[in-house]
Amino acid sequence: MVVIQRAGLMSVYGAIVVCFCLTFIVGAFAMTVEPDEVWILMSTMKAFGIPLPPTSAVAHPVTTSGGVHFVLHGLVALGWGGNILVHRFVSIGVVLVLFGIVYKLIEVHVKDRVLALAGVALFATAPGFLLQASLATAEIVATTLMLLAVLYWVQFGSRSAGMALLGGVFFGLACATRMTCLSMLPAILVWSILAHRGWVARLIYPVLGVAVAVFVFVDFVAAYSYFFNDSPSNWSPMMISFASDANGLGRPFEGIMMRLNYMEVADGIIPVIAIVALTGWFISRLGAGEDDRKFVELCAFLLLAGSMGWLSWVLRAPIPHIRYLWPAIPMLWLAAILLGLSALKRVRQKRTAMIAHLSLIIICAFLGLLNIRMLAVGDSLGLVYEAARVSGLGTPKDFFVARRNQNEVAALLRNLPPSATIHALSEAAAYPMTYLSARAVKALARPFIASAEDYLLVQPCDRSFWLPKWDLISWLQDNTTLVERRGSYDLYKVHEGAFLAQR
């Protein structure tokens, strides 16, 4: 009977994991091309010498997302070009590797295959996972590298100077891949001081590891910038600015109320999970034996790294963007999963265990339905703004059409006369259109005097950020003619001689 129950649970959890993977694959097809995604990809392609449409997106290297992501996607672009779908499937491939690591990690420490598969299913429910898995951004690669670095450091980092050096390389690769990982490096030193007794393991090895990580990070960024073919005088100040912004050091403190707004991301679940995980760690530590030491140390490292990444985001994040919470989210998520499944493993009453499994299945199913709702919305940038509570929840009239609308508008831009000049309210938000249409789309700079071949593209995100300004709405009504409308995309022909004054 027990064997049948276990086989049934394995099948259910396996089906849930497969469904999440299928959701990510559908997302690769259904989600609109996101500005940061294509900005990073165009920067990578320029560094690899691949021709691009004229755009300010490649005015400087996007070193905040580089490292292994840069090398991997650059090689893919050399072999298969800039097809966004191919690059998104690279992210999905890395997701499968990450799931394999999580499964093996839980199986080794919890020693139960059913719970290991349940842990993978729960891991896939982390806030923002669909956005990271279905887009060609660096978060999934950085998360995988960071997790491997943590596992290596907990197991081997304090054994010798050579192993500490290698651990630093792993951490450096994670930081070079996604610069936000830099804020998590102090966890190496704090954890080593708490976990070890000898001063060499407490101080020398972690300092060595952090130094190597920073060295590897700087080398990768310098190499990226070198292949980008910009002189150091151009990119060095910008690189420093990006580094400080990405890690929350480049902007002044905006007040406690503004920072409290950041707590709303993912419905505040991140601090809740952190508190639960910390409580679980404390309780499990009280009864931990020598055999459980590595498990407790691993959970402690994950909690330290995730909490530091989350806290730096709350205090100094440049924008309330859920991408900046990765890989802090999966670190905290995994720690909570490990501690929770470890507690479930010790449950001896069959009824209690089955209730717990039923609860886990319901949670996964509910969050899977929320992913389907996100796919129906389909606007990747709008979903990012939703997660950050910058905009309201999207309720489109038609489901699963956002990507089709974006492609159709890109085709319209592509077919405009060569002499036409295409403008957008935000050039950065229009990077996907530049990429998809191979036509330059530039910002509507003020003061503006229209020629006979000027067009203005209004995108879904513009309605939340720029169009609420009454002077723009009035100007659009008086000085433009609607050419085409696709969903929330509008293409206007600007009247010759139309004037837009300086702000």
Side-chain angles (χ1 to χ4, degrees), residues 44 48 69-81 87:
T44 299
F48 275 79
H69 177 88
F70 163 73
V71 174
L72 183 60
H73 284 271
L75 293 175
V76 170
L78 285 175
W80 290 276
H87 290 272

Side-chain angles (χ1 to χ4, degrees), residues 25-96:
I25 293 172
V26 172
F29 286 93
M31 303 280 278
T32 58
V33 180
E34 202 258 349
D36 282 352
E37 173 188 28
V38 75
W39 188 4
I40 295 165
L41 183 54
M42 284 194 287
S43 180
T44 299
M45 291 172 68
K46 181 186 176 182
F48 275 79
I50 299 171
L52 291 166
T55 172
S56 66
V58 291
H60 44 75
V62 187
T63 51
T64 51
S65 294
V68 176
H69 177 88
F70 163 73
V71 174
L72 183 60
H73 284 271
L75 293 175
V76 170
L78 285 175
W80 290 276
N83 188 323
I84 197 71
L85 188 60
V86 174
H87 290 272
R88 287 180 170 185
F89 273 114
V90 173
S91 294
I92 293 172
V94 178
V95 167
L96 297 179

Side-chain angles (χ1 to χ4, degrees), residues 174-229:
C175 294
T177 301
R178 186 63 178 141
M179 199 177 284
T180 48
C181 292
L182 286 172
S183 63
M184 303 167 77
L185 287 183
I188 301 173
L189 183 59
V190 175
W191 179 87
S192 298
I193 291 174
L194 296 174
H196 299 299
R197 296 180 180 177
W199 66 273
V200 175
R202 274 186 165 185
L203 191 61
I204 301 299
Y205 291 160
V207 169
L208 184 61
V210 171
V212 171
V214 173
F215 178 79
V216 171
F217 162 75
V218 171
D219 280 355
F220 262 89
V221 171
Y224 188 173
S225 302
Y226 173 79
F227 286 110
F228 203 81
N229 294 323

